[in-house]
Amino acid sequence: MSALAGDNRLPRYQRLADALRARIVDRSWKPGDRIPSENVIAEQFGVAPGTARQALAALVDEGLLERQHGRGTFVRRPSFDQSLFRFFRFSGAAGERLIPESRILRRSVDVMPSEVARQLGVSEGSEGIAMDRLRLIDGAPILAEQIWLPLPRFQPFLAIDPADIGPLLYPIYDASCEQTVARAEESLTAEAADATLARLLRVARGTPLIVIDRLARDYAGDALEWRRSRGPAERFRYRTEIR
Amino acid sequence: MSALAGDNRLPRYQRLADALRARIVDRSWKPGDRIPSENVIAEQFGVAPGTARQALAALVDEGLLERQHGRGTFVRRPSFDQSLFRFFRFSGAAGERLIPESRILRRSVDVMPSEVARQLGVSEGSEGIAMDRLRLIDGAPILAEQIWLPLPRFQPFLAIDPADIGPLLYPIYDASCEQTVARAEESLTAEAADATLARLLRVARGTPLIVIDRLARDYAGDALEWRRSRGPAERFRYRTEIR
DNA sequence: GAGTGGTCTAGACCACTTC
DNA sequence: AAGTGGTCTAGACCACTCC
């Protein structure tokens, strides 16, 4: 039986949640793993089952765990490479989801722009991997992306042949560099297409483009990837509910 | 002691939550009201206090209730007239929130466009109140709004002198028409400014504008107001976190 | 049938607000 | 001091999944 660490003025279920979260952060429990049942956890930490439930519920709320009736509690596998669907309409005729194909136009190692370095939390002048990607549906370009990855953390990624890189990057980061994207912050605005983007996206110069900046982080909160995506506003619609 | 209505196969806390929600929908409990304590509710409905807690927690989650330690449980007062802050940066030099002033350019009664009627859930050809508003900070226009309200529901609103209408409309709907906005659906895209909007917002023709459509509903889910707001994308930034 | 999470009970004690 | 919600306990029974 482990003791419950941390400030004992905090509620037990919170300290327990912290202890469980730590196991996810340090990868002793990996995405997809089943974790011990609530009774086992309760016994291990010396709390009542109800208190363990409360801790687990908090982590479900945070999006770290998933519970499945009769099967167990699992570390959630974050897979929001498709999160573009929250923004753009790529549905086919039947309304089904399509994953746009991906064409890597350029990959190189360069000194990062200072704003990118700042957001990735590395020192000014650091080197990183730069990529330009184009995403297409039925051969028609719909999104232009710039991506920066910090070095040396993503060194192994350079060994991968660009031809082997499919549309989903995060599973590749996970497999090749042991870097798991757990969450991301996105910010959104619009701008007029300049000459380069107009040519790339095959729209007229000045066409309104939606610009989505994304900073992806791992469970520990370290920034893993900086990304800027631009696509024609016409294809774009974002819905949200407020209360 | 009231009986718990509804399908017996549903969990008690859900049927209890439905019963409590109904009291908010039918305005026996109004926004700002304190509702009975969990012990009283538990006794009234013949459930254990823990079950009542679970029902109350569900309604807090839905955004209908607010609990305050030591004070009680209250019907949440939805006040998202300021929800524009989620989208536009209006902060002053000190970063404080400013409520933009409001100028009503036009108010009239007209047949609603069929798309507006459809979204408001009234029959094609119905009449409604149309308003054009301009919102400004320090005299500079930042947002152009079109608003439609269904008739006869909002008949009393016509009696109000436009000069008496401040920047916040929802409290006025509440006071004059007993219509409470409980939640809203927003959808967002961008377009280029046409001649009219360019003149109104004092930007060049073709400048990218953010377009926000909002459909506001009451607790019962009836649509109360249709609104389309446009502002220069330059002043716009929307942030969100995804997991 | 064994193990899991989901619902429900019936209390106890604590922290906070109000009077 | 009284009343409120917040935490915590120690069980019970049920529904679901898997073997």
Side-chain angles (χ1 to χ4, degrees):
Chain A
M1 161 179 153
S2 325
L4 225 40
D7 189 336
N8 42 10
R9 287 168 308 182
L10 290 174
R12 292 187 179 199
Y13 77 92
Q14 254 182 52
R15 284 182 289 153
L16 177 51
D18 291 344
L20 302 179
R21 193 185 298 104
R23 300 214 174 161
I24 298 172
V25 169
D26 75 11
R27 290 178 78 87
S28 25
W29 291 341
K30 298 189 189 59
D33 286 358
R34 202 189 79 177
I35 73 169
S37 74
E38 61 187 48
N39 287 325
V40 172
I41 288 177
E43 201 192 350
Q44 275 181 358
F45 287 88
V47 300
T51 304
R53 281 191 74 74
Q54 220 176 335
L56 292 169
L59 294 176
V60 168
D61 225 55
E62 277 180 49
L64 295 186
L65 295 179
E66 253 174 359
R67 312 199 76 179
Q68 293 181 41
H69 197 165
R71 301 216 325 123
T73 303
F74 300 82
V75 179
R76 193 166 147 260
R77 208 189 289 277
S79 78
F80 42 83
D81 235 313
Q82 295 91 324
S83 83
L84 288 169
F85 291 107
R86 300 181 311 119
F87 292 126
F88 285 87
R89 295 177 284 189
F90 300 146
S91 33
E96 79 285 9
R97 292 185 155 195
L98 304 169
I99 294 185
E101 40 172 325
S102 159
R103 193 175 300 161
I104 293 179
L105 306 178
R106 187 179 69 89
R107 184 178 68 179
S108 63
V109 172
D110 268 312
V111 170
M112 290 189 255
S114 62
E115 177 59 16
V116 173
R118 197 186 61 74
Q119 288 204 47
L120 285 173
V122 299
S123 55
E124 187 115 1
S126 298
E127 288 200 321
I129 304 171
M131 281 191 291
D132 289 348
R133 275 213 305 182
L134 194 61
R135 310 204 61 176
L136 316 90
I137 286 187
D138 292 336
I142 48 157
L143 215 56
E145 296 183 316
Q146 300 174 277
I147 296 173
W148 282 95
L149 302 169
L151 286 173
R153 201 192 270 255
F154 279 89
Q155 191 69 44
F157 183 77
L158 287 170
I160 297 177
D161 186 335
D164 293 343
I165 297 177
L168 302 181
L169 291 177
Y170 295 172
I172 300 179
Y173 299 163
D174 208 327
S176 67
C177 309
E178 289 214 325
Q179 302 296 325
T180 307
V181 173
R183 59 177 214 274
E185 297 144 23
E186 290 188 326
S187 101
L188 193 154
T189 186
E191 66 181 29
D194 65 16
T196 309
L197 285 161
R199 196 178 57 246
L200 211 53
L201 293 168
R202 296 190 208 147
V203 295
R205 228 171 107 171
T207 300
L209 302 180
I210 295 290
V211 186
I212 302 165
D213 282 5
R214 178 195 290 180
L215 192 62
R217 299 183 185 274
D218 62 15
Y219 286 114
D222 288 354
L224 296 184
E225 181 208 57
W226 181 94
R227 187 188 288 209
R228 176 166 288 166
S229 311
R230 293 180 173 94
E234 206 190 29
R235 306 195 60 144
F236 169 94
R237 186 156 289 268
Y238 176 60
R239 287 173 223 281
T240 182
E241 167 134 355
I242 59 176
R243 300 178 192 273
Chain B
M1 162 179 152
S2 323
L4 225 39
D7 189 336
N8 277 9
R9 288 166 308 181
L10 289 174
R12 292 188 179 198
Y13 78 91
Q14 254 181 51
R15 285 182 287 152
L16 176 52
D18 290 345
L20 302 179
R21 194 185 299 104
R23 301 215 174 161
I24 297 172
V25 169
D26 74 11
R27 290 180 78 88
S28 22
W29 292 339
K30 298 187 189 59
D33 284 0
R34 202 188 80 174
I35 74 169
S37 75
E38 61 187 47
N39 286 326
V40 171
I41 289 176
E43 201 192 350
Q44 276 181 358
F45 287 88
V47 300
T51 304
R53 281 191 75 73
Q54 220 175 333
L56 292 169
L59 295 176
V60 168
D61 227 55
E62 277 180 49
L64 295 185
L65 295 180
E66 254 174 356
R67 312 200 75 178
Q68 293 181 41
H69 197 167
R71 301 219 321 125
T73 302
F74 300 81
V75 180
R76 193 167 147 260
R77 207 188 290 278
S79 77
F80 43 83
D81 235 313
Q82 295 91 325
S83 83
L84 288 169
F85 289 107
R86 297 181 315 119
F87 292 125
F88 284 87
R89 294 178 284 189
F90 301 147
S91 31
E96 79 285 9
R97 291 186 156 195
L98 303 169
I99 295 186
E101 42 173 322
S102 160
R103 193 176 299 161
I104 293 179
L105 305 178
R106 187 179 69 89
R107 183 176 69 178
S108 63
V109 172
D110 268 312
V111 171
M112 290 189 254
S114 63
E115 177 58 18
V116 173
R118 197 187 60 75
Q119 289 205 46
L120 285 172
V122 300
S123 55
E124 187 115 0
S126 298
E127 289 200 321
I129 304 170
M131 281 191 291
D132 289 348
R133 276 214 304 183
L134 195 60
R135 310 205 59 177
L136 315 92
I137 285 186
D138 293 336
I142 48 158
L143 215 56
E145 296 183 317
Q146 300 174 276
I147 296 172
W148 280 95
L149 302 169
L151 285 172
R153 202 192 270 256
F154 279 88
Q155 192 69 46
F157 182 77
L158 287 171
I160 296 177
D161 186 335
D164 294 342
I165 297 177
L168 303 180
L169 292 176
Y170 294 173
I172 300 179
Y173 297 164
D174 208 328
S176 68
C177 309
E178 287 213 327
Q179 301 296 325
T180 306
V181 173
R183 58 177 215 274
E185 297 144 24
E186 290 187 327
S187 100
L188 191 154
T189 187
E191 65 180 29
D194 65 16
T196 309
L197 284 161
R199 196 178 58 246
L200 211 54
L201 293 168
R202 296 190 210 149
V203 295
R205 228 171 108 172
T207 300
L209 302 180
I210 294 291
V211 186
I212 302 165
D213 282 6
R214 178 195 290 179
L215 191 63
R217 299 183 186 274
D218 63 15
Y219 285 114
D222 288 354
L224 297 184
E225 180 207 58
W226 181 94
R227 186 188 289 210
R228 177 167 288 168
S229 311
R230 291 181 174 93
E234 207 191 28
R235 306 195 60 145
F236 169 94
R237 187 157 287 270
Y238 176 61
R239 287 173 223 280
T240 181
E241 167 135 355
I242 60 176
R243 304 181 193 267

